[in-house]
Amino acid sequence: MTEILRVENLAKSYGTFEAVKGISFTVREGEMKALIGPNGAGKSTCFNMLTGQIRPTRGEVFLDGARITGLPPRVIWRRGVGRTFQITGTYQSMTVIENVQMALISHNRRVFSLFGRARALYRTEALALLDRVGMADQAERPCSVLAYGDLKKLELAIALAHRPRLLLMDEPTAGMAPSARIALMQLTADIVTEEGLSVLFTEHDMDVVFAHAHHIMVLNRGELIADGNAAEVRANPQVQDVYLGGGMLFKEIDHA
Amino acid sequence: MGFFIAQLLTGLANAAALFLVASGLSLIFGVTRIVNFAHGSFYMLGAYVGITLMGVLPGVLGPYLGFWGAIVLTGLIVGLAGALVEIVVLRPIYRAPELFQLVATFGVILVIQDLALMVWGAEDQMGPRAPGLRGVFRIFGEPIPKYDIVLICITPFILLALWALIAKTRLGVLVRAATQDREMVAALGVNQRWLFTGVFALGSALAGWGGALQLPKGGADLLMDFNIIGPLFVVTVIGGMGSLPGAFIAAVLISVLNVFGVAYLPQSTLVLMFVVMAIVLIVRPYGLLGKEEVAGEHGQSGAPETPIRPFGRRGRLAVAGLLLVMALLPLVTQPFALVLLTDIVIFALFAASLQFILGTGGLVSFGHAAFYGGGAYAAALMVTYAKTPMEIAFLFAPLGAGMLALVIGWFCIRLSGVYFAMLTLAFSQLVWSLVFQWRAVTRGDDGLIDIWPSAWLSGTVPYYYFTLVVGVLGILFLRTVIHAPFGYALRAGRDSARQAEAMGIDVKRVQYVAFALAGALAGLAGGLFVFAKGSVFPTELEIGKSFDALIVVFLGGVKTLSGGIVGATFMAAVEDWLTRLHYWRLLLGLLIIAVVILAPEGIVGSARRLGLRLGLVKHTEAD
């Protein structure tokens, strides 16, 4: 498998505090990789550097061999990286399908069109995307009335609109009921297999992580302390140390 | 040397009152996030109340205690008035969309203006001299009024006292906490209502003290409220909204600059202040000591918007019917009614262009008149100097205004929220003062006259048709853009700039283009205006003109294009009717306040809600 994302020595400092201390890793094509770690480990900072929201202090990010370090989010998006946010940022004044259409309009570089009805553009494609995440029946509902889980699904549909090769998901299941979490990640996993894209996600729920991630990275105090498959990460004494009580959790999964 | 020091001291003395008033505005904004346009009115009220008290108290308490007692008492009285305004006018509308409150404060301005006229009369009043401080000190041979020296000496103590109040008292702790995070303070069980009232009263009292303190140097007149708004906002913004030391530094800076400006560059006094502000904001977008405003940190206030829909068949029929009626009107009505209708159409186009950038774009511009007046002047200058025929000069109105918007937008778009609003205000004032003071070209307040349409359009009826066609086409163009991909992208950037950037939309560039479009359309309205009146004066560029458009858009309803149009029609008709009455400002002010309280979603939004309740409008899920 070839690598789609390569991160080299990536670091971010705020004054004297180093939130991320020079981490390196790769994401390979077609894999689902999880980035886990306790609160404040630097997961979100790391994520925001990958998608351009935060400029790294040092280090490099390569997408498919091309350097994307420090590019603005919209440029990174155009290079084929989709992302979902921990706190969803859908357009409240639009309907579900209009949210997806907006992404398609941008993808087709029609943002500066002053004429023509936006509502009539790319409807079929938008509906197909909504269908993919099981939201087609809610296409015409205002975004502002959606249940939280549905909002997450909509976000996934939006992130898939420009056919990304890499999808970055920041806490995709945070705030969802346990059963809904599994369902959403199963959906994501199916899409990954079918479309052949790669996913990097952060997650707090270990059930979700161990059920779906092919590889797991553990971040602690800005340092990468483990990077491997589930068994390797579980066996890592440093990880067990960080997750003190979490050791229990790992065992439960073994039984499951 | 002596002259230089004298100028410096005069500037420092002038800073005292300005700092007091500005600190009040800053406090109110910091805690309540209300941009209080009526703050100048409390300053004026302070001056009038001060004069009255200074006439009475010295007879009772003796000259010294009487004079200084009057000043102290004035602040308390004005503070009470402020509390009253907050409780009656603002409290009911805190939950309304952001910045909606400024319309209400504008109503308050009008009410206080007429009340002052009723109580104190139209004549300017001289302020009494301070007892024992009538003469001058000689400093390097230059006469400096003793009162100036006293003011210079007490200003630092005022700053210190305010600082102590904010830093050391429980009220101060609450104020600082609320300035940082209102939701959290409310969650901690602080009675927010009374905190807001208290802060509003304190802020108003400071304005009142400022008004009373400047009396021996000036006096009281009915234009004070508007005259101080410019410097006031400049000081608050340069210092940083919500920062007291910032307000102090800025007040000194602006006052000193102003005095030297009068001495050395008398033609550019008005421009100077706004140039300084523009430079400060370009270098430090949040003022000298201000903190970055995190837009939408706590989410949008008010209910989420419903998705927009083009009018259905019935709506379109209604609009077509209305246009048909307007087209047939010249057959039956009097010319004066057509003149009024022409004004309404022009105003509606102007308001619609503001609504576009404000509602759809989420960019509240306080200086939209720059483009309206700018367009009018562009056409008028072409006619006056190049003898261009009307047909071509008219095209320069949207063109010139659009270019002006490209220049101003380049500076402003990088900011957001209230700082964006303030910078647009600064630039529009800059344009206004240029036109006002560059007499060689613009003829200043004599205006440009004899700007008449070509023969085929002259006369009330032909020009009415011309205005109707251009106005309707302009509004239809805006409507098309709103429903086009560009309009959606603009809305996307407003709803969530982060998400829009993360889907490849260059939000700032979209906003920049939208700002230029809105400017061009406002210029189009200005072009219609100048040929309708045959002349243009600097008043078309004034703050007041920008506020007119803002009020109309908020009154009509921010959320839909029709809001601006309905608001403009309502306002123009009401004004035409009310201005015939003696105390029309009072009535208009009360009317505005009433609409704001009764219809917090604007006329269109609230009518729609009423229609829903009565079953006249189809129910959608989000309602």
Side-chain angles (χ1 to χ4, degrees):
Chain A
M1 278 196 285
T2 49
E3 59 191 41
I4 179 118
L5 184 76
R6 169 172 213 80
V7 173
E8 286 175 5
N9 202 23
L10 196 64
K12 178 72 193 177
S13 313
Y14 296 100
T16 55
F17 173 68
E18 234 184 349
V20 176
K21 299 174 182 166
I23 60 173
S24 306
F25 63 88
T26 60
V27 176
R28 277 173 293 189
E29 224 162 67
E31 95 171 319
M32 271 182 96
K33 195 163 194 176
L35 178 64
I36 64 172
N39 281 330
K43 300 187 297 287
S44 286
T45 307
C46 175
F47 243 66
N48 285 331
M49 284 194 282
L50 298 182
T51 49
Q53 266 87 14
I54 296 179
R55 199 174 260 280
T57 313
R58 64 190 148 84
E60 301 288 353
V61 183
F62 296 95
L63 180 71
D64 227 4
R67 185 174 173 274
I68 58 164
T69 325
L71 292 177
R74 59 172 184 277
V75 177
I76 293 178
W77 180 82
R78 287 222 181 274
R79 298 273 179 97
V81 179
R83 107 158 261 186
T84 65
F85 291 93
Q86 192 172 346
I87 300 163
T88 52
T90 45
Y91 310 128
Q92 291 288 299
S93 73
M94 296 185 196
T95 61
V96 169
I97 190 164
E98 283 171 348
N99 266 276
V100 184
Q101 281 171 299
M102 194 67 246
L104 288 164
I105 285 169
S106 175
H107 179 51
N108 289 288
R109 297 183 181 273
R110 294 282 305 269
V111 160
F112 285 92
S113 300
L114 296 180
F115 300 96
R117 285 272 163 83
R119 273 173 54 70
L121 290 174
Y122 315 114
R123 268 192 72 87
T124 331
E125 294 94 318
L127 265 177
L129 281 162
L130 286 175
D131 193 40
R132 192 71 198 77
V133 299
M135 288 284 292
D137 52 330
Q138 304 201 54
E140 299 299 338
R141 296 185 77 189
C143 213
S144 51
V145 301
L146 285 191
Y148 189 69
D150 290 342
L151 218 49
K152 287 285 189 185
K153 285 190 206 160
L154 169 60
E155 226 196 351
L156 183 58
I158 294 172
L160 291 171
H162 68 311
R163 305 195 150 273
R165 288 136 70 213
L166 174 66
L167 191 58
L168 298 173
M169 303 173 86
D170 198 0
E171 305 255 350
T173 70
M176 293 174 82
S179 58
R181 289 175 185 212
I182 300 291
L184 181 72
M185 285 318 282
Q186 191 55 55
L187 180 67
T188 313
D190 292 347
I191 293 171
V192 168
T193 330
E194 277 168 41
E195 315 268 326
L197 53 81
S198 325
V199 175
L200 177 65
F201 67 104
T202 67
E203 185 55 67
H204 267 119
D205 185 339
M206 292 305 139
D207 290 349
V208 170
V209 171
F210 283 95
H212 292 289
H214 305 135
H215 288 99
I216 300 166
M217 294 183 287
V218 185
L219 199 62
N220 186 41
R221 297 187 182 177
E223 279 171 292
L224 211 53
I225 56 172
D227 184 352
N229 62 31
E232 288 165 358
V233 169
R234 259 181 231 149
N236 186 317
Q238 232 182 322
V239 175
Q240 288 174 358
D241 193 36
V242 168
Y243 273 92
L244 282 175
M248 292 288 290
L249 203 73
F250 295 164
K251 290 204 183 87
E252 277 170 37
I253 306 237
D254 285 333
H255 299 305
Chain B
M1 181 66 187
F3 178 72
F4 183 83
I5 293 202
Q7 297 292 316
L8 190 68
L9 290 176
T10 311
L12 286 174
N14 290 348
L18 191 55
F19 163 63
L20 269 173
V21 187
S23 62
L25 184 72
S26 209
L27 267 181
I28 291 175
F29 174 80
V31 175
T32 65
R33 284 289 180 277
I34 288 180
V35 179
N36 180 22
F37 278 127
H39 204 65
S41 302
F42 291 113
Y43 168 71
M44 177 175 79
L45 211 55
Y48 276 114
V49 172
I51 284 191
T52 305
L53 289 178
M54 285 172 192
V56 178
L57 283 190
V60 186
L61 299 170
Y64 290 96
L65 201 58
F67 177 83
W68 295 105
I71 288 182
V72 172
L73 197 58
T74 298
L76 299 181
I77 290 172
V78 175
L80 268 180
L84 189 73
V85 165
E86 199 274 342
I87 292 170
V88 175
V89 179
L90 295 174
R91 231 181 227 191
I93 53 169
Y94 278 124
R95 299 181 64 86
E98 216 173 328
L99 289 172
F100 190 67
Q101 294 88 0
L102 66 90
V103 182
T105 65
F106 199 83
V108 173
I109 294 182
L110 295 174
V111 170
I112 293 183
Q113 243 171 15
D114 259 6
L115 286 181
L117 177 66
M118 276 181 199
V119 178
W120 288 284
E123 270 176 46
D124 293 3
Q125 306 212 11
M126 281 282 287
R129 301 274 147 200
L133 298 169
R134 277 166 218 273
V136 295
F137 290 120
R138 293 252 161 215
I139 296 176
F140 292 102
E142 295 281 336
I144 309 288
K146 286 182 181 168
Y147 188 68
D148 277 14
I149 301 296
V150 172
L151 279 185
I152 293 171
C153 294
I154 60 177
T155 313
F157 289 100
I158 295 170
L159 175 65
L160 210 66
L162 273 178
W163 175 82
L165 181 73
I166 298 299
K168 301 286 176 196
T169 65
R170 180 173 155 73
L171 175 71
V173 170
L174 291 179
V175 164
R176 277 183 295 142
T179 304
Q180 281 199 348
D181 193 333
R182 281 187 292 169
E183 276 79 359
M184 195 61 212
V185 172
L188 290 175
V190 174
N191 188 335
Q192 217 180 355
R193 291 179 133 204
W194 288 108
L195 178 65
F196 278 24
T197 309
V199 166
F200 207 87
L202 176 63
S204 308
L206 287 168
W209 276 316
L213 212 57
Q214 61 81 44
L215 278 175
K217 291 170 64 69
D221 60 73
L222 288 170
L223 293 174
M224 284 175 82
D225 52 349
F226 265 105
N227 287 342
I228 197 158
I229 285 186
L232 190 54
F233 277 97
V234 167
V235 163
T236 324
V237 169
I238 288 183
M241 301 286 280
S243 162
L244 285 181
F248 180 74
I249 295 169
V252 171
L253 182 72
I254 289 298
S255 301
V256 171
L257 195 77
N258 212 24
V259 173
F260 279 103
V262 171
Y264 294 107
L265 286 167
Q267 313 83 11
S268 63
T269 44
L270 295 168
V271 187
L272 210 56
M273 182 167 70
F274 290 101
V275 170
V276 171
M277 166 163 159
I279 292 172
V280 168
L281 282 193
I282 289 162
V283 180
R284 288 192 61 94
Y286 302 99
L288 294 174
L289 299 179
K291 292 212 179 65
E292 183 171 352
E293 184 190 31
V294 185
E297 191 180 3
H298 305 295
Q300 191 186 6
S301 53
E305 265 184 54
T306 51
I308 55 166
R309 285 283 166 277
F311 272 140
R313 235 170 58 102
R314 251 198 294 175
R316 262 182 246 179
L317 275 177
V319 172
L322 183 70
L323 286 178
L324 191 69
V325 170
M326 288 185 78
L328 294 176
L329 266 181
L331 303 177
V332 289
T333 49
Q334 305 289 318
F336 73 84
L338 286 187
V339 171
L340 176 63
L341 271 177
T342 306
D343 289 351
I344 289 181
V345 173
I346 294 172
F347 198 22
L349 177 60
F350 177 37
S353 71
L354 178 64
Q355 196 284 331
F356 172 67
I357 191 72
L358 194 156
T360 311
L363 295 167
V364 182
S365 166
F366 282 178
H368 207 51
F371 309 119
Y372 176 78
Y377 265 95
L381 287 170
M382 288 309 285
V383 171
T384 310
Y385 291 102
K387 304 281 177 254
T388 329
M390 177 252 178
E391 289 82 0
I392 296 180
F394 183 74
L395 292 179
F396 273 84
L399 216 65
M403 307 247 277
L404 185 64
L406 279 177
V407 174
I408 294 180
W410 192 83
F411 292 103
C412 296
I413 285 297
R414 64 186 78 191
L415 301 183
S416 59
V418 78
Y419 285 91
F420 171 82
M422 288 301 159
L423 197 56
T424 52
L425 179 75
F427 272 104
S428 80
Q429 277 303 95
L430 192 63
V431 173
W432 172 77
S433 32
L434 265 177
V435 169
F436 192 77
Q437 293 194 316
W438 196 9
R439 298 189 63 93
V441 174
T442 62
R443 299 190 190 149
D445 53 358
D446 293 339
L448 294 169
I449 52 169
D450 260 344
I451 319 290
W452 293 108
S454 301
W456 63 282
L457 282 176
S458 61
T460 310
V461 176
Y463 201 78
Y464 168 71
Y465 278 120
F466 177 65
T467 307
L468 191 61
V469 170
V470 174
V472 168
L473 283 180
I475 290 169
L476 280 181
F477 171 69
L478 282 176
R479 176 179 174 277
T480 308
V481 173
I482 287 172
H483 290 285
F486 181 77
Y488 270 65
L490 186 60
R491 222 145 39 90
R494 178 203 66 189
D495 280 3
S496 171
R498 184 194 67 183
Q499 177 82 7
E501 284 284 335
M503 61 165 64
I505 300 172
D506 190 339
V507 173
K508 291 291 173 199
R509 206 156 123 218
V510 167
Q511 290 178 339
Y512 185 41
V513 173
F515 191 73
L517 270 182
L521 267 292
L524 187 68
L528 285 173
F529 167 85
V530 68
F531 288 106
K533 301 295 167 197
S535 58
V536 60
F537 299 93
T539 43
E540 299 311 318
L541 292 155
E542 269 176 8
I543 298 185
K545 195 76 195 175
S546 295
F547 287 1
D548 278 353
L550 272 175
I551 290 172
V552 152
V553 169
F554 276 109
L555 274 190
V558 191
K559 293 176 181 175
T560 58
L561 188 60
S562 53
I565 300 160
V566 169
T569 312
F570 172 79
M571 198 67 169
V574 163
E575 254 183 346
D576 179 70
W577 170 64
L578 275 182
T579 40
R580 294 170 202 172
L581 306 170
H582 188 47
Y583 288 112
W584 64 273
R585 283 191 194 84
L586 178 67
L587 294 173
L588 185 61
L590 290 176
L591 187 71
I592 289 175
I593 293 170
V595 173
V596 164
I597 292 175
L598 295 176
E601 288 176 78
I603 297 171
V604 171
S606 295
R608 189 163 176 279
R609 192 150 292 257
L610 189 71
L612 273 175
R613 197 176 293 168
L614 299 177
L616 296 175
V617 185
K618 220 170 68 187
H619 188 80
T620 58
E621 211 172 352
D623 292 305

